[in-house]
Amino acid sequence: MDGKGAIHVKFDLPSPVIQAIDRLENRGYAAYVVGGCVRDFILGVTPHDYDICTAASPEEMKMIFRDERTIETGLKHGTLTVLLADMPLEITTFRQDGEYLDGRHPASVSFTRAVEDDLSRRDFTINAMAYSPSRGLCDPFHGREDCALGIIRCVGEAERRFSEDGLRILRALRFSARLSFPIEEGTARALRRLKNNLQKISRERIASELTGILQGRDCASILAAYGDVLAASLPELSFMDDEAWRRAGGLIPYCPADGMIRLAALLRNCHPSGIAENCARQARLIIQGLKMPVKMMDGAEQLVLHQQDAVTLENIQEMLWRLQPEGLSRLLQMKKAMALYEGQPGAEGRFLALEEKMQGLIRSDCCYRLGQLSVKGQDLAAQGLRGPAIGAMLEELMLQVVRGKIPNERERLMDYIRSNTSRLAE
Ligand code: ATP
Ligand code: MG
């Protein structure tokens, strides 16, 4: 059945990809690039990787590429990674999924010799095309048409596809956000109806799809239209109404393409009280629940906590001390996005001036880390301070310095210490 109904188009494939396909074809096995890269070609986007699928079984692939460097980690599932001219290529035997029992994975997969079978298990029509230089485009589900229409549509019956694997619900939102393709009506209705299937999806997968959605150029409309669906994967956000989702989404396009800032923008009002401290604590719990890196958790929590803090040319050294360069730089970016979203006049200029002032302070040897303070812990110990009193005094000195009340000079700081130790040593 191969080749039947093939459409003749021509895509430029990198030469290692062509080599791999030719090698399989010369041994009598159909081989194609498939999925995301074919979609990208049709949309005129340069693919970031190339997946190959083939009629050859895993054992046959191993034989064919036995003289190349290969990685066999995925072989059980039919995938062999082959390094051709240093390009890692994932080559997978055509597969057919068995029954789905857990709402995420097929209970079994079987290998097949027909590319159409392999395409029929894929999620969306735009992701269910295969192409080979000799065979042309294999597009049994009219993915090319949906690319032209600009819509996300399930392969086959949407309700069944989302029941099989709930992750597809978030994937639909992610592709819609990324490509600015609305979700076809039947597919949208089905994913809304089955949104609770997201509860069966691992937190890690939810985290990675959510990150993708937040990076999408049409993220704002997805959040506005499908907030309730997202909340099914983030139950802590169930209290948000349509308006809250619209506001959360509206800010995101103003943020730079930084995962932490965008996540903080999403979570900046993630507690019903709207109080920054509560939102920050809640954001931390949500991010922890998503099993994201600690760095992400700390950084986003800090952004949510300080989102309403005034940063001015006068207090910026103090803010630099409290948040350190990385944190303050991100806070300025987030606050700038908030100001632009709110349409504050002169926001661009104001934040440019703050950014420049901050960079200037960092370049000069101004004091914004404890290590830069002209007195050290042992100086305080020499004055009779002990334990926590030392830390407290260092903090107090830092505050005096970053607020410009005392210059960062040893003698002036020692004076301050002497006139305040009796109080602290009690
Ligand atoms: P990206 O550019 O984001 O990598 P992609 O289309 O390559 O987009 P992947 O997640 O890399 O997306 O998946 C590769 C292909 O595998 C998809 O194009 C799709 O055909 C298929 N696929 C991936 N996940 C699923 C799923 N959960 N259900 C059905 N098909 C899937
Ligand atoms: Mg991919």
Side-chain angles (χ1 to χ4, degrees):
M1 147 157 225
D2 274 307
K4 191 178 122 194
I7 303 161
H8 292 281
V9 287
K10 188 116 198 72
F11 298 138
D12 261 334
L13 297 175
S15 81
V17 176
I18 297 178
Q19 265 179 54
I21 292 178
D22 283 352
R23 190 126 26 127
L24 289 156
E25 289 279 356
N26 290 338
R27 298 298 201 89
Y29 301 105
Y32 298 84
V33 286
V34 68
C37 68
V38 183
R39 176 198 67 224
D40 289 348
F41 270 126
I42 301 232
L43 295 175
V45 177
T46 308
H48 59 83
D49 57 13
Y50 297 84
D51 294 324
I52 296 173
C53 62
T54 179
S57 71
E59 288 309 312
E60 289 160 344
M61 289 195 285
K62 260 174 69 178
M63 275 297 289
I64 294 169
F65 294 103
R66 65 177 175 277
D67 296 333
E68 307 298 336
R69 280 187 293 157
T70 59
I71 305 165
E72 294 190 12
T73 39
L75 208 59
K76 238 189 13 226
H77 309 287
T79 303
L80 181 69
T81 304
V82 180
L83 278 127
L84 284 182
D86 287 331
M87 187 172 188
L89 295 169
E90 286 199 349
I91 311 180
T92 306
T93 305
F94 298 148
R95 294 184 311 189
Q96 237 172 340
D97 294 339
E99 241 191 303
Y100 283 78
L101 302 175
D102 66 354
R104 171 71 188 106
H105 306 96
S108 63
V109 271
S110 52
F111 300 128
T112 153
R113 300 281 184 187
V115 67
E116 289 83 356
D117 291 339
D118 184 273
L119 296 176
S120 72
R121 76 181 167 85
R122 292 175 183 268
D123 47 7
F124 307 114
T125 56
I126 60 169
N127 289 345
M129 296 179 274
Y131 167 82
S132 106
S134 62
R135 295 168 191 266
L137 186 71
C138 179
D139 180 19
F141 304 103
H142 310 290
R144 198 164 62 152
E145 215 172 285
D146 285 345
C147 282
L149 289 171
I151 56 172
I152 308 296
R153 184 202 311 265
C154 279
V155 169
E157 212 244 305
E159 293 220 356
R160 203 190 95 214
R161 303 314 307 284
F162 292 131
S163 313
E164 286 174 349
D165 175 2
L167 182 66
R168 291 173 188 151
I169 294 171
L170 287 187
R171 287 176 60 86
L173 302 189
R174 171 163 68 87
F175 285 114
S176 173
R178 165 155 129 207
L179 303 171
S180 297
F181 284 11
I183 301 173
E184 177 271 330
E185 221 183 282
T187 299
R189 217 176 314 118
L191 69 79
R192 233 185 259 288
R193 179 135 25 141
L194 293 166
K195 64 184 179 188
N196 287 331
N197 285 6
L198 283 169
Q199 287 157 10
K200 300 177 190 160
I201 304 306
S202 77
R203 310 305 293 164
E204 291 87 343
R205 296 311 301 255
I206 287 176
S208 94
E209 293 301 329
L210 179 66
T211 304
I213 291 169
L214 292 176
Q215 293 297 337
R217 86 181 118 139
D218 223 8
C219 166
S221 24
I222 286 297
L223 264 54
Y226 297 99
D228 60 321
V229 176
L230 276 173
S233 63
L234 296 169
E236 298 89 340
L237 303 185
S238 307
F239 75 92
M240 285 167 66
D241 60 12
D242 288 354
E243 182 51 28
W245 279 107
R246 206 182 337 275
R247 268 186 286 116
L251 171 60
I252 290 172
Y254 292 93
C255 296
D258 173 291
M260 190 183 286
I261 296 175
R262 290 189 168 214
L263 189 58
L266 172 70
L267 299 178
R268 94 194 141 117
N269 277 315
C270 67
H271 190 272
S273 68
I275 296 168
E277 284 77 10
N278 295 345
C279 294
R281 201 172 320 112
Q282 178 75 308
R284 183 176 186 83
L285 290 174
I286 292 175
I287 298 169
Q288 191 172 35
L290 289 172
K291 307 202 173 148
M292 286 180 156
V294 174
K295 219 178 136 176
M296 180 65 92
M297 188 166 72
D298 292 344
E301 178 188 22
Q302 186 183 58
L303 286 172
V304 175
L305 181 64
H306 293 286
Q307 55 176 314
Q308 301 296 351
D309 292 5
V311 185
T312 63
L313 293 171
E314 288 69 43
N315 77 353
I316 196 161
Q317 191 176 348
E318 180 177 345
M319 291 303 281
L320 193 53
W321 171 50
R322 292 192 190 284
L323 287 106
Q324 294 301 299
E326 234 186 301
L328 181 58
S329 161
R330 271 196 303 260
L331 183 67
L332 287 176
Q333 293 178 68
M334 172 146 152
K335 289 185 69 72
K336 177 175 160 188
M338 287 163 64
L340 290 173
Y341 174 49
E342 288 159 15
Q344 288 177 14
E348 285 282 357
R350 193 154 53 83
F351 281 94
L352 186 63
L354 287 168
E355 176 72 24
E356 278 174 357
K357 174 99 192 253
M358 181 186 80
Q359 295 303 344
L361 287 174
I362 294 170
R363 272 194 307 273
S364 74
D365 55 354
C366 103
C367 174
Y368 61 85
R369 277 180 279 115
L370 269 187
Q372 295 169 315
L373 198 65
S374 299
V375 296
K376 308 283 168 224
Q378 60 258 36
D379 298 314
L380 304 193
Q383 295 296 314
L385 287 180
R386 291 289 171 262
I390 294 185
M393 177 54 91
L394 286 172
E395 289 259 321
E396 194 173 323
L397 290 169
M398 236 4 233
L399 206 56
Q400 299 296 323
V401 169
V402 294
R403 287 184 173 167
K405 302 226 162 88
I406 314 179
N408 184 21
E409 290 163 11
R410 193 182 153 76
E411 269 323 298
R412 300 289 299 276
L413 294 170
M414 290 306 288
D415 286 345
Y416 184 91
I417 296 166
R418 278 189 286 267
S419 51
N420 288 278
T421 12
S422 49
R423 177 171 61 77
L424 272 169
E426 281 161 13

